[in-house]
Amino acid sequence: MSTLYQRFTLFCLILATALTAAAQQPSFSLVQPRAVVEGRNFTLTFRLTDGDGNEPSAPRLENCTLLYGPSTSTMQSTQIINGKMSSSYSKDFSFVYRADKAGSVTVPSVSITSGGKTLHSREATFNILPDDSPASSGGQNGGGARNSSGAQQQVGNINADDLLVRVSFSKSSVYEQEPVVATIKVYTKYDINSFLVTTQPAFEGFLCEELPVQLEMNLEHYNGQNYHTAVVKRLLLYPQKSGKLSVNSGKYDVTLVQYEAVNMGFFRTSRPVEKTVTTSSNAATLNVKPLPEPRPAGFNGAVGTFTASVSLEPELLKTNEAATYSYIVKGTGNIKFLNEPHIDFPAGIDTYTPKNDIDTRVSGANMTGTFRTDFTIVPQEVGNFTIPSTPFVYFNPDKNEYVTIDTRDFDIKVARGVSTSAVASEQTTIDKSIKDILYIKSTSGVTAKGSKGYVFNSTIYWLAYILAAVALVTVVLVYRRRIRLNADVTGRKLARAGRVATKRLKEARGYMNSHQNDKFYESLARALWGYISDKLSIAPSQLMRDNIAEKLEAYGASSETAAQVIDVLDLCEMARFTPVHSDEEVAGLYAKAVAAIKSIEDVRTK
């Protein structure tokens, strides 16, 4: 019985494998070729997956000579995951060519017949790089580097041209707030064992957003030499002011691997030798154009392409019941750094501090997402109201023009809701079973002594009249002061700077407690920059590391406080590019930022 069960199980497995293979459709593709060097041989590989077919013909490549091919190799694998069996089969056809002349090469589509069907590969392109220039070649005097073919040279001196770190921009000229990608790339002729950043390039005058990087080596021709290159960092930058913005050079400690020849008697071999060198990146410059003048009314710094809309939930309102008015901006550009809109709500509707919800993602060399501002409103009066349209104005750098989007007016009708005050009525009945409440006796026809029945002749009436008049004057004065404070935008920012900073620091503390260090540093830096901008009444675009100390001392803060603020900002910026820090270091940085803000709050201006 056991043998019969084993045979049945084996039959099921074979049948499942056959059905899986029958269900898979064959495919034919080209393995993407990499850049090659002029005069070197390279391999072009086509892959047939889950099928069998005839050998394809060798494609004709411009500026290349076919040496031999195709040579074939096969690979088959079977795996079982959660009781499900899957298998794959592939067959590679490889052709060997010689790169005769530098330039771009297009690989045409190649066809193959498999299972009675004709399959085609896609077209692809790759570059043939010129050979190293003898005049600028550092490998002649120095050794240990890899030459164009990848061969290991002997140990020798390391030249400046053998290891480079470059900072480059994706565009040479942009508008204010228009995104540009900065790339930090290492060029080397050696194997690299370690790469340590000692001083990061300073991107002053920019708002930065780090982009994901795939660490892979490529071959690139630069300054007459061929280098193995790798991107170590990519940043999405938003310039905050016009003019020529420069990126200061960074410093890096790099451990390179050279190879020393070793005589083993009957044969020779090589062994790796490590050397640590310090190198600096270049100082890159970007031309930032100012936004065209005059700037239209309502423009608040949005640059890109956007759409705007508003919504109200619920649309049927009642007094003393809350509703949410939402202002929604979607699009591509500096959407993460937009400012909340100013809505002129009609009198009779109370509003509360708006809440911003930002959802963004990086799309290519730009940022796409949604910036949503929710206003909580509570109607206090019955009637018909209109929440006026608030246009959204942005600058489109592609069309070099300002665009205005008109949102809809909201006509709302407010019905009477649940009253918050109880109406007193004369007690006419009482529950006899209630023992802890005394019966309230009602009286009628009682008048004040000597009043002849007229209430306005009483002292209480005139006292109430005077109190009402004083209350009215007080309300008018308070209302006028509120109007004056609302008109004073700078004063409001100054008054709420500390509260906003506390809220932002709370967010940073949450990231610290959850050990999300990257988000902690970004949130802490944003909180400190925003606090200083509000406290000193300086626009973010005009606030830089160089003028913080001057502005703080003019405000009345001590030089020690200014130095402490700059130190926290530098540590936040540095920490975003360095390895993981301990919990004690993170907590110490947070405490230092709190102490800096407290020192500024303690300043009493004259």
Side-chain angles (χ1 to χ4, degrees):
M1 185 67 181
S2 176
T3 304
L4 180 61
Y5 177 75
Q6 292 176 353
R7 290 179 179 177
F8 178 74
T9 303
L10 179 62
F11 172 76
C12 291
L13 290 175
I14 295 175
L15 180 61
T17 303
L19 292 176
T20 302
Q24 293 173 338
Q25 297 295 327
S27 61
F28 185 59
S29 61
L30 167 67
V31 178
Q32 177 64 42
R34 294 178 176 268
V36 296
V37 179
E38 180 181 358
R40 309 297 176 182
N41 297 342
F42 66 94
T43 302
L44 196 65
T45 302
F46 296 87
R47 180 166 295 163
L48 177 63
T49 305
D50 296 328
D52 196 7
N54 60 306
E55 294 181 350
S57 300
R60 181 179 179 182
L61 305 182
E62 188 176 359
N63 299 326
C64 298
T65 301
L66 175 65
L67 299 181
Y68 59 88
S71 60
T72 61
S73 61
T74 60
M75 182 180 67
Q76 185 174 5
S77 64
T78 302
Q79 59 181 358
I80 300 176
I81 301 177
N82 295 331
K84 295 183 179 180
M85 177 179 291
S86 62
S87 62
S88 63
Y89 171 82
S90 64
K91 189 174 185 180
D92 289 351
F93 304 92
S94 300
F95 300 88
V96 178
Y97 291 83
R98 182 179 65 246
D100 296 329
K101 184 179 178 182
S104 179
V105 179
T106 300
V107 181
S109 176
V110 174
S111 61
I112 191 173
T113 301
S114 176
K117 295 182 180 180
T118 301
L119 306 177
H120 299 273
S121 67
R122 61 177 177 84
E123 288 189 356
T125 59
F126 66 96
N127 293 322
I128 298 177
L129 306 178
D131 201 358
D132 289 344
S133 173
S136 60
S137 176
Q140 293 179 348
N141 299 325
R146 292 184 179 271
N147 57 24
S148 302
S149 63
Q152 295 173 353
Q153 301 176 4
Q154 298 303 311
V155 173
N157 295 328
I158 298 174
N159 297 320
D161 292 337
D162 293 335
L163 176 66
L164 305 173
V165 179
R166 293 184 63 237
V167 179
S168 61
F169 293 107
S170 59
K171 302 176 184 178
S172 60
S173 178
V174 294
Y175 283 100
E176 293 179 51
Q177 297 290 345
E178 182 182 359
V180 60
V181 176
T183 302
I184 303 177
K185 183 185 293 187
V186 59
Y187 295 71
T188 179
K189 291 193 173 185
Y190 298 85
D191 290 335
I192 294 179
N193 190 32
S194 67
F195 188 91
L196 179 62
V197 181
T198 57
T199 303
Q200 281 288 350
F203 294 90
E204 292 189 2
F206 297 93
L207 293 177
C208 304
E209 188 74 19
E210 190 165 351
L211 302 178
V213 172
Q214 292 182 347
L215 293 177
E216 59 179 10
M217 298 296 293
N218 293 293
L219 193 61
E220 186 174 328
H221 192 81
Y222 175 72
N223 277 353
Q225 294 289 297
N226 293 313
Y227 293 92
H228 295 279
T229 65
V231 176
V232 295
K233 186 174 290 293
R234 293 175 72 243
L235 297 170
L236 189 60
L237 305 178
Y238 294 88
Q240 298 298 297
K241 62 179 182 178
S242 59
K244 290 188 178 297
L245 298 185
S246 298
V247 177
N248 298 333
S249 60
K251 291 185 179 180
Y252 311 87
D253 288 340
V254 186
T255 302
L256 302 175
V257 180
Q258 296 180 303
Y259 292 87
E260 180 182 33
V262 179
N263 191 349
M264 303 295 292
F266 294 101
F267 61 93
R268 295 172 63 87
T269 185
S270 62
R271 64 182 179 187
V273 178
E274 294 185 352
K275 285 190 175 182
T276 300
V277 296
T278 299
T279 186
S280 300
S281 60
N282 62 310
T285 301
L286 179 69
N287 181 34
V288 181
K289 298 177 290 186
L291 295 176
E293 298 289 349
R295 302 185 183 185
F299 178 70
N300 206 11
V303 176
T305 55
F306 303 97
T307 61
S309 61
V310 294
S311 64
L312 182 64
E313 179 65 30
E315 294 192 9
L316 181 60
L317 304 183
K318 295 182 179 180
T319 56
N320 301 314
E321 293 184 6
T324 301
Y325 180 83
S326 301
Y327 196 98
I328 306 167
V329 178
K330 298 181 179 180
T332 301
N334 60 338
I335 190 166
K336 189 174 183 179
F337 307 104
L338 297 182
N339 295 317
E340 63 188 38
H342 175 72
I343 309 297
D344 291 325
F345 290 99
I349 296 181
D350 290 347
T351 61
Y352 295 86
T353 303
K355 175 185 177 183
N356 296 324
D357 184 12
I358 305 173
D359 181 18
T360 60
R361 66 184 183 279
V362 175
S363 177
N366 213 327
M367 188 177 294
T368 300
T370 302
F371 187 97
R372 180 190 182 104
T373 304
D374 292 331
F375 297 85
T376 300
I377 61 175
V378 179
Q380 300 296 326
E381 300 177 6
V382 176
N384 296 324
F385 300 89
T386 298
I387 302 177
S389 169
T390 302
F392 180 76
V393 183
Y394 68 91
F395 178 73
N396 188 329
D398 296 331
K399 298 181 179 180
N400 193 26
E401 64 181 11
Y402 291 96
V403 180
T404 300
I405 301 176
D406 292 320
T407 58
R408 57 175 289 197
D409 292 334
F410 255 107
D411 295 323
I412 57 177
K413 183 177 181 180
V414 179
R416 185 173 300 280
V418 178
S419 177
T420 58
S421 61
V423 179
S425 60
E426 183 182 33
Q427 181 179 3
T428 57
T429 61
I430 188 169
D431 189 349
K432 299 295 185 181
S433 62
I434 299 178
K435 303 298 184 181
D436 58 345
I437 299 179
L438 296 177
Y439 183 79
I440 301 176
K441 298 181 179 181
S442 60
T443 58
S444 59
V446 178
T447 59
K449 183 176 181 181
S451 64
K452 299 182 179 181
Y454 297 107
V455 178
F456 57 81
N457 286 334
S458 64
T459 304
I460 296 178
Y461 172 80
W462 287 106
L463 182 60
Y465 186 85
I466 294 172
L467 292 176
V470 172
L472 178 61
V473 172
T474 302
V475 169
V476 171
L477 293 177
V478 171
Y479 184 71
R480 288 173 61 86
R481 182 176 180 273
R482 181 178 179 183
I483 293 176
R484 186 172 63 256
L485 290 177
N486 288 338
D488 184 9
V489 178
T490 301
R492 284 191 292 134
K493 282 189 175 181
L494 180 64
R496 69 175 185 174
R499 296 193 301 272
V500 174
T502 301
K503 180 179 179 182
R504 290 170 175 168
L505 286 174
K506 184 179 180 181
E507 178 185 4
R509 185 178 182 86
Y511 289 133
M512 179 182 68
N513 293 336
S514 60
H515 304 287
Q516 302 181 53
N517 288 352
D518 291 342
K519 292 184 177 179
F520 165 75
Y521 294 127
E522 179 182 357
S523 178
L524 186 62
R526 186 167 61 248
L528 196 53
W529 278 110
Y531 170 74
I532 296 173
S533 174
D534 292 342
K535 199 67 177 178
L536 302 183
S537 302
I538 300 176
S541 60
Q542 302 298 323
L543 193 62
M544 295 184 300
R545 179 184 179 276
D546 294 339
N547 64 359
I548 287 179
E550 178 183 352
K551 299 295 183 182
L552 283 175
E553 291 180 5
Y555 177 75
S558 63
S559 58
E560 291 79 5
T561 299
Q564 190 177 16
V565 170
I566 294 175
D567 190 30
V568 172
L569 293 175
D570 287 345
L571 288 174
C572 286
E573 183 66 20
M574 185 66 184
R576 295 176 60 191
F577 305 103
T578 53
V580 178
H581 291 74
S582 65
D583 292 344
E584 291 77 10
E585 292 175 319
V586 173
L589 184 59
Y590 177 82
K592 199 169 187 178
V594 173
I597 292 177
K598 185 178 184 303
S599 298
I600 299 174
E601 283 293 308
D602 291 340
V603 174
R604 295 293 183 264
T605 57
K606 296 182 180 180

